[in-house]
Amino acid sequence: MQDVIIIGGSFAGLTAAMQLGRARRRVSVLDTGLNRNRYAEAAHNILGADGTPPGELLARARAQVAAYPTVALISARAVSVSGAPDRFIVTSATGEQLEGRRLILSYGIVDEMPVIPGFAECWGRTVIHCPFCHGYEVAGQSWGLLYSGPFSLHMPALYRNWTDDLTLILDGHAIPDDERQKLKARGVRIENARLVSIDHENGMLRRVTLDDGKSLAMGALYAHPRSHPAADLHSQLGLDMKQTPTGTMIAVNEMQATSRPGIFAAGDLATAMHSVTFANSMGSLAAMGALQSMMV
């Protein structure tokens, strides 16, 4: 019997595992090795590790967590989960079963890449979603913003910290006239046509082409594709969910507790704001929440 089973061993899950290992709790971490930011060349805004490749950060983290004798790192996908506090049962794709007193879900989300030539090849390099994560490296260049929903209309004001050369690609969507005028007053160029292809060199964006035949040179394209949880375990457990601008997240309280006792969630799965720093913070809170729940 494990004290805590953690499903998902990226930044949130490993942070939780380290905290629990240091508390001398028995912990098992199941992970597929498919961290969401594996496409990025570098992770930023991480104090003491700014600009380090995500894979390198995770390799260091795994080695450090593995040093705690009560923590087991298991390379496996969890396919089913059931039970209640003090006897949750997790089954892996290989048929192995683990029993645990508490659960932490940190298996993250998957981005749904649009079928646009060049999009996937540039994702995480010059087709990006967060200016705080990647904006500094492409500051001062011509940027594009691919419309994803009403929230896209508020992004240009933020992007002005990095560039004053911005084109909003509406991708065939209509926006209110008053919003269009506000954007134009800020100096934002607006293209109504759909994005059909991205010209790049090894992931470095050069131009985008629209379905009206127009070709636009730019150094970065901001996009916010729809996403979905990387597994369905939250559905198996019947957890409450919340809508985000691009998908759904598990609803949690201030200690990362879900709607069911004994189950906690952390990382991209449990917030609409995604970064390594947020994931680390939530992993730590989830570990503390699980520990406190076992002290009752």
Side-chain angles (χ1 to χ4, degrees), residues 22 55 131 164 254:
R22 292 186 59 80
D164 57 5
E254 67 279 359

Side-chain angles (χ1 to χ4, degrees), residues 3-7 81-90 100-107 233-241 250-266 269-270 285-287 289-291 293-294:
D3 289 310
V4 182
I5 299 173
I6 300 173
I7 304 176
V81 59
S82 60
D86 296 324
R87 196 172 184 274
F88 289 108
I89 300 175
V90 176
R101 297 181 61 196
R102 299 293 184 269
L103 290 177
I104 295 178
L105 307 181
S106 52
Y107 45 80
L233 305 181
H234 55 283
S235 296
Q236 295 180 28
L237 293 164
L239 301 181
D240 289 350
M241 305 293 289
I250 296 178
V252 294
N253 69 7
E254 67 279 359
M255 293 303 291
Q256 305 300 128
T258 71
S259 56
R260 281 192 55 181
I263 305 174
F264 301 80
L269 190 60
L285 286 171
L291 281 170
S293 73
M294 289 186 284

Side-chain angles (χ1 to χ4, degrees), residues 42-46 50 128-138 143 155 158-159 161-162 222 273-275 277-278:
H44 294 286
N45 279 331
I46 306 169
D50 186 45
I128 45 188
H129 77 287
C130 172
F132 294 102
C133 299
H134 304 290
Y136 188 87
E137 284 67 36
V138 290
W143 286 12
M155 304 308 293
L158 173 64
Y159 294 164
N161 290 303
W162 291 271
Y222 279 79
M273 298 191 298
H274 305 148
S275 76
T277 302
F278 286 132

Side-chain angles (χ1 to χ4, degrees), residues 96-288:
E96 180 183 4
Q97 286 195 336
L98 298 173
E99 294 187 14
R101 297 181 61 196
R102 299 293 184 269
L103 290 177
I104 295 178
L105 307 181
S106 52
Y107 45 80
I109 61 178
V110 175
D111 296 297
E112 300 170 3
M113 302 289 178
V115 185
I116 296 173
F119 190 101
E121 292 84 352
C122 294
W123 181 245
R125 301 190 67 187
T126 52
V127 175
I128 45 188
H129 77 287
C130 172
F132 294 102
C133 299
H134 304 290
Y136 188 87
E137 284 67 36
V138 290
Q141 299 183 37
S142 179
W143 286 12
L145 168 61
L146 184 62
Y147 182 88
S148 301
F151 72 95
S152 297
L153 303 179
H154 304 291
M155 304 308 293
L158 173 64
Y159 294 164
R160 291 296 294 272
N161 290 303
W162 291 271
T163 186
D164 57 5
D165 186 349
L166 179 65
T167 299
L168 172 63
I169 301 172
L170 289 178
D171 208 34
H173 295 89
I175 62 173
D177 287 339
D178 61 333
E179 293 291 348
R180 184 182 290 268
Q181 294 308 315
K182 288 178 186 177
L183 290 166
K184 287 184 175 180
R186 294 194 185 105
V188 178
R189 294 181 297 275
I190 299 176
E191 297 289 345
N192 298 309
R194 293 184 179 276
L195 176 66
V196 294
S197 67
I198 295 172
D199 180 31
H200 67 97
E201 294 180 16
N202 297 317
M204 303 306 293
L205 192 155
R206 296 292 179 256
R207 308 184 70 85
V208 302
T209 301
L210 308 181
D211 68 358
D212 62 2
K214 189 174 292 187
S215 178
L216 307 173
M218 59 182 58
L221 176 68
Y222 279 79
H224 304 89
R226 298 290 298 177
S227 62
H228 62 267
D232 68 350
L233 305 181
H234 55 283
S235 296
Q236 295 180 28
L237 293 164
L239 301 181
D240 289 350
M241 305 293 289
K242 290 177 61 176
Q243 291 296 316
T244 76
T246 57
T248 58
M249 57 174 274
I250 296 178
V252 294
N253 69 7
E254 67 279 359
M255 293 303 291
Q256 305 300 128
T258 71
S259 56
R260 281 192 55 181
I263 305 174
F264 301 80
D268 289 357
L269 190 60
T271 181
M273 298 191 298
H274 305 148
S275 76
V276 172
T277 302
F278 286 132
N280 290 343
S281 174
M282 288 185 288
S284 181
L285 286 171
M288 290 298 297

Side-chain angles (χ1 to χ4, degrees), residues 10-11 31-43 53-56 58 62 77 107-111 113 120 123-125 134 230 268 276:
S10 189
F11 293 97
D31 185 52
T32 62
L34 299 175
N35 52 298
R36 183 191 181 200
N37 62 355
R38 63 190 183 276
Y39 302 101
E41 289 188 332
E56 183 178 329
L58 286 171
R62 291 188 192 102
R77 178 181 293 276
Y107 45 80
I109 61 178
V110 175
D111 296 297
M113 302 289 178
W123 181 245
R125 301 190 67 187
H134 304 290
D268 289 357
V276 172

